[in-house]
Amino acid sequence: MQSHNTILVLDFGSQYTQLIARKIREQNVRSIIYPFYTSLKKIKELKPKGIILSGGPTSAYEENSPQIDSEIFQLNIPILGICYGMQLITLNYKGKVEPAKNREYGKASIEIITNNEILKNVKNKSVVWMSHGDYITKIPEGFSVDSKTENSPICSISNSEKKIYALQFHPEVAHTENGKEILRNFLFDICKCKPDWTPANFIDEAVDSIREKVKDAKVLCALSGGVDSSVAALLLHKAIGENLTCVHVDNGLMRKNESIKVVEMFEENFDLKIIHIDASQEFLHKLSGVSDPEKKRKIIGNTFIEVFEKESDKIPNTDFLVQGTLYPDVIESASTGTASHKIKTHHNVGGLPEIMNLKLIEPFRELFKDEVREIGELLGLPHEFVHRHPFPGPGLAVRVLGEITEAKLSILKEVDKIFIDELKKFDLYYKIWQAFAVLLPVQSVGVMGDARTYESVVVLRAVTSSDGMTADWYKFDNDFLEHVSNKIIREVAGVNRVVYDISSKPPSTIEWE
Ligand code: XMP
């Protein structure tokens, strides 16, 4: 079912474009993202109820900066320009944009001049989030200035008659106090959208487009058992049934008994074809003697490809590979472009498809984790699986710091199990985005009974987050930390010290490697 309440976001390269689309979906309105150079013909075909021009890293007056067909302003479709989008609107209506003496980043307080339809319910002096290096120095023709801040005398402008609005700040980010109100004003009062978009619509649309793309071909799914690959497998299964084969590779780097639990759950609850491969010895052998984190990731990625390829050779006529890539994986792995730098290699984004000559299906590429969880719930994935903490592709390999051995892995698995079990017992597990233990490559002195010990140190890490891109450490009660620490040291041979990680992301990352 196609919703007729669609907002088109034209992307000029802002790091916030996906966030705009997501904030619209949160209001139960369908949003689609297209590149800025999308033709006018295509835009008309899409029949959007409103168009948002995103921000972008360049300045609209620069040569070769991304532009749009000015006829877009004649379509009689309401338009909201954000940051760079505001500059385009300004230039189109004979206003002027110039570089600012001081770039403006961060919080500012908005002073409302005209409380019109786009600023309805926005509190005077509320916080807005700025991120720009240009100013409008001449108001475009036919527009009025609706608000200002201390450093931006022209903070938002509008032409109510033409239904064109522009903001210098970002309404989509959480720091803009009344950003949600602004988007609601645009969606419901100005574009007259109805809030009829739900995750169930997403499933229907995705099923249709997967069927159209795949037809009768066979599709492979690398099923790790994490939320993303599990939900992707179920979605594909709904779309193409028998033509999907899932391959679950036990790399020996998963949590204690995890691999068996995953396969059992799918076999018991769903009619999926699953091939279960135990390749743990192969992985451990290749990793022996390696301690550099990026090397470990590469070895794991490559070994995974080899194992997966060998197995999939047995399934003829395969054309597609499905991956549960999420939007944050896409940007954290991007190595080009102005908006994002490579932070770590996330192995689920590259490798396999090129080597195996497979086409990729990535149904969640524009979604965030909590949206995928909602979809998983609707597809019948058990609660425990839907709401499990994220787990990195390279698994415990990036949590045994330095060289990996079977003995170290076994210590970490025991510690990790105690930590996770106690979180569940104390009703803390679901309050936390991600929790795990890390085994440090250092030994420390302790005393047990009358004897001196010289054993391993483990770190406990627990963070809250909404998408893994930023995170804060979880504030446990001291009693809980004491209880877990005692239990670990008492029950896991080889560990005599437990520490708790109190760093947030940024500047740290969630994982230690
Ligand atoms: P960092 O450590 O970069 O992690 O703050 C952000 C989120 O991504 C997960 N992560 C990975 N996931 N392959 C994955 O599939 C990887 O190589 C990888 N590295 C980190 C991490 O657990 C957290 O949820």
Side-chain angles (χ1 to χ4, degrees), residues 228 297 329 332 343-348 369 390-394 398-399 433-434 436 467-469 505 508-513:
D228 314 336
R297 277 192 153 76
D329 303 335
E332 291 222 333
I343 299 171
K344 286 176 192 169
T345 315
H346 281 209
H347 98 252
N348 57 349
K369 190 129 210 149
F391 189 71
V398 290
R399 296 178 181 171
W433 163 267
Q434 198 169 5
F436 54 89
D467 52 21
M469 294 172 72
K505 174 183 179 178
S508 300
T509 51
I510 296 176
E511 303 290 344
W512 273 51
E513 281 194 345

Side-chain angles (χ1 to χ4, degrees), residues 48-66:
K49 282 228 162 163
I51 298 174
I52 294 186
L53 310 179
S54 84
T58 47
S59 300
Y61 50 77
E62 277 171 22
E63 223 181 297
N64 300 328
S65 59

